[in-house]
Amino acid sequence: VTVGANWAGSYEYGASELLRPRSTEEVAAAVAGATRVRALGTRHSFNDLADTTGSLLTLVDLEPNAVIDTDAATVTVASGTRFAVLGVHLEAHGWALHNLGSLPHISIAGAVATGTHGSGVGNGNLSTAVSGLEIVTGRGDVVRVTRSDPRFDGMVVALGALGVVTRVTLDIQPTYQVRQDVYLDLPWDAVLGSFDAIVSAAYSVSLFTDWSGETLKQVWLKSRLPAPGSGAAALELPDEFFGARAAGDKVFSPAGDDIDNTTVQGGVPGPWSQRLPHFRPDATPSNGDEIQTEYFVDRADAVAAIAAVRALAAKITPHLLVTEFRTVAADALWLSPAYGRDSLAIHFTWFNEPDAVRALLPLIEAALAPFDPRPHWGKWFAMGASEVVPKYERFADFRALAEEFDPQGRFRNAYLERVLGLGQGTT
Ligand SMILES: Cc1cc2nc3c(=O)[nH]c(=O)nc-3n(C[C@H](O)[C@H](O)[C@H](O)COP(=O)(O)OP(=O)(O)OC[C@H]3O[C@@H](n4cnc5c(N)ncnc54)[C@H](O)[C@@H]3O)c2cc1C
């Protein structure tokens, strides 16, 4: 029996087996008994990051057992839990996370291991909410770490290289309401002329384009609403946004006008968990038959970086479902693509045309090279270790952590060797 494919069906895992431990102890036993082993989340990465030649462990059978600590304002939960499940639990108890990615279907562990992000100039990626981890290391022992540990910033976005995370502690805050409004046909001139004002116009802003024409197709504003009874005025949004027009209450999917898979738009207030993701948990997110790519550049270079990619529009558009621009606040996590710099994330959802995408990636990376682009770890990119490693000033410290936590290289795989130069050793 093979392990099967990733969510998009574009990558077939080569692992020899899929194990389903039911407790931290069973995870530890599985790791100790394996030569090569990796954790598998909900399979939403597009490349071979999660894969191994040995055993994959899925943690979906561990009960979420979410424990809210109201004094510390944290929740501790099984790492394989999907954000959609945690969101329902937090909302029911009057709590919230600071942000979510476009889809709530992904596992917490898989998201935080890769620096998965939503949008918002003031919002760090989802990994920045992590304040504690329980990890089964390559030695098979169970380690619990918190933010006070000097190694912690190297352990959150860790690409599965340090161990199998079994429980995660996340910062939470009192629940809040968000409204989501869509605008259509934002002039390119406005984006290039008023970029900072546009992306700062709401709690979370996403711009969607196929790079063609004189306008970007859609703008999504996710506005955080004042708490009821706070005395703050209700939020009024204009009919026009930097030359784009309000879409009204029609549901627009970035994946196509005829697809009904989005969270509620039209300015209807709702809980954070039902507005911050683009896609509803009960629907297929995005398109389903696709490949994704994303690069992070310094937000200070946003306009120049966008213009550099736009020069490739004629080559990109024929193979593209949609591009999304989002912002991510700088953080201190050693392998976070937003490490040390407020970032613009330039995302591409491609048609499932692997050869065409493989041919385009070096062109896009060359166009972005002056801006030192960092790739999303879970999506497609062309650059290898000689280009990637110098982008991360704490990489040597991360390598040392990987050797400390996994001295026998149980979690090493072809991706870590190709992308980070972490050898696979002799085991
Ligand atoms: C439709 C779609 C929309 C997306 N939208 C966004 C978005 O808005 N923003 C964004 O940044 N990304 C986005 N992504 C990418 C996605 O968030 C990342 O690829 C993420 O890593 C997927 O999580 P997963 O649970 O599927 O992990 P997997 O793909 O299964 O694994 C990813 C990595 O996490 C590691 N991992 C998983 N579980 C554990 C564990 N318990 N312990 C240690 N390591 C573990 C794996 O070993 C692997 O290295 C999207 C992907 C899809 C398919």
Side-chain angles (χ1 to χ4, degrees):
V1 182
T2 63
V3 171
N6 65 341
W7 169 84
S10 54
Y11 180 79
E12 196 73 30
Y13 297 106
S16 57
E17 60 178 353
L18 180 65
L19 302 177
R20 295 177 158 271
R22 297 186 159 275
S23 65
T24 298
E25 293 68 34
E26 287 187 21
V27 172
V31 169
T35 309
R36 296 274 186 211
V37 59
R38 301 267 301 165
L40 183 63
T42 47
R43 306 180 181 226
H44 284 88
S45 292
F46 289 85
N47 55 32
D48 57 345
L49 168 61
D51 210 358
T52 172
T53 51
S55 312
L56 275 172
L57 304 183
T58 173
L59 306 190
V60 293
D61 292 340
L62 270 74
E63 286 297 321
N65 188 18
V67 179
I68 294 172
D69 180 334
T70 53
D71 293 334
T74 60
V75 63
T76 301
V77 64
S79 67
T81 307
R82 295 172 190 258
F83 280 102
V85 172
L86 179 63
V88 168
H89 182 83
L90 289 177
E91 181 58 26
H93 291 83
W95 292 94
L97 298 170
H98 79 292
N99 209 357
L100 287 168
S102 71
L103 77 174
H105 310 63
I106 48 174
S107 77
I108 298 167
V112 304
T114 57
T116 287
H117 62 97
S119 193
V121 292
N123 295 325
N125 65 31
L126 305 186
S127 314
T128 62
V130 178
S131 68
L133 294 167
E134 178 184 271
I135 307 179
V136 175
T137 75
R139 296 194 179 91
D141 53 2
V142 182
V143 171
R144 292 182 186 83
V145 285
T146 65
R147 272 202 190 110
S148 59
D149 189 311
R151 304 168 301 179
F152 190 71
D153 284 345
M155 299 177 66
V156 184
V157 182
L159 308 176
L162 305 185
V164 179
V165 174
T166 42
R167 286 184 71 76
V168 181
T169 303
L170 300 167
D171 293 336
I172 55 176
Q173 53 185 278
T175 186
Y176 52 89
Q177 297 264 301
V178 174
R179 62 177 278 180
Q180 178 164 238
D181 296 85
V182 176
Y183 289 84
L184 305 177
D185 296 329
L186 177 69
W188 270 107
D189 287 349
V191 175
L192 300 175
S194 308
F195 184 80
D196 279 333
I198 288 172
V199 296
S200 307
Y203 187 68
S204 165
V205 177
S206 290
L207 310 181
F208 294 96
T209 181
D210 68 2
W211 300 93
S212 70
E214 293 307 310
T215 61
L216 285 80
K217 287 204 248 179
Q218 299 184 10
V219 179
W220 288 29
L221 301 183
K222 298 175 194 274
S223 304
R224 190 166 165 161
L225 300 174
S230 68
L235 180 69
E236 300 281 351
L237 286 184
D239 289 341
E240 198 185 299
F241 178 80
F242 292 88
R245 65 179 197 285
D249 56 7
K250 187 178 184 315
V251 171
F252 287 92
S253 172
D257 290 353
D258 51 347
I259 302 177
D260 175 12
N261 61 1
T262 63
T263 48
V264 174
Q265 306 166 348
V268 181
W272 61 280
S273 54
Q274 295 175 32
R275 296 294 182 276
L276 291 177
H278 296 341
F279 304 110
R280 296 194 310 271
D282 63 328
T284 298
S286 191
N287 171 289
D289 187 19
E290 65 196 47
I291 296 166
Q292 295 188 8
T293 294
E294 190 164 35
Y295 298 103
F296 300 74
V297 297
D298 193 318
R299 190 152 69 80
D301 293 326
V303 171
I306 290 171
V309 178
R310 196 174 172 219
L312 298 170
K315 291 193 166 77
I316 290 173
T317 305
H319 306 288
L320 187 78
L321 201 64
V322 73
T323 268
E324 181 175 9
F325 300 140
R326 286 176 285 185
T327 56
V328 190
D331 63 54
L333 304 172
W334 301 352
L335 289 194
S336 165
Y339 176 83
R341 61 186 197 191
D342 286 329
S343 298
L344 163 72
I346 305 176
H347 165 87
F348 305 81
T349 302
W350 305 106
F351 293 121
N352 189 3
E353 299 172 349
D355 292 342
V357 175
R358 256 182 229 114
L360 279 165
L361 295 179
L363 304 183
I364 296 172
E365 292 179 11
L368 288 175
F371 313 107
D372 192 20
R374 296 175 183 157
H376 190 304
W377 299 115
K379 303 183 181 183
W380 279 31
F381 52 93
M383 53 182 97
S386 63
E387 289 158 283
V388 173
V389 165
K391 297 174 184 293
Y392 289 94
E393 65 183 59
R394 301 297 301 270
F395 180 73
D397 297 323
F398 181 78
R399 174 192 283 274
L401 266 191
E403 280 158 13
E404 176 189 343
F405 277 73
D406 184 22
Q408 291 168 297
R410 285 190 161 98
F411 304 121
R412 300 293 173 91
N413 67 2
Y415 176 106
L416 294 175
E417 182 160 37
R418 184 179 74 249
V419 175
L420 292 177
L422 294 176
Q424 300 196 54
T426 51
T427 43

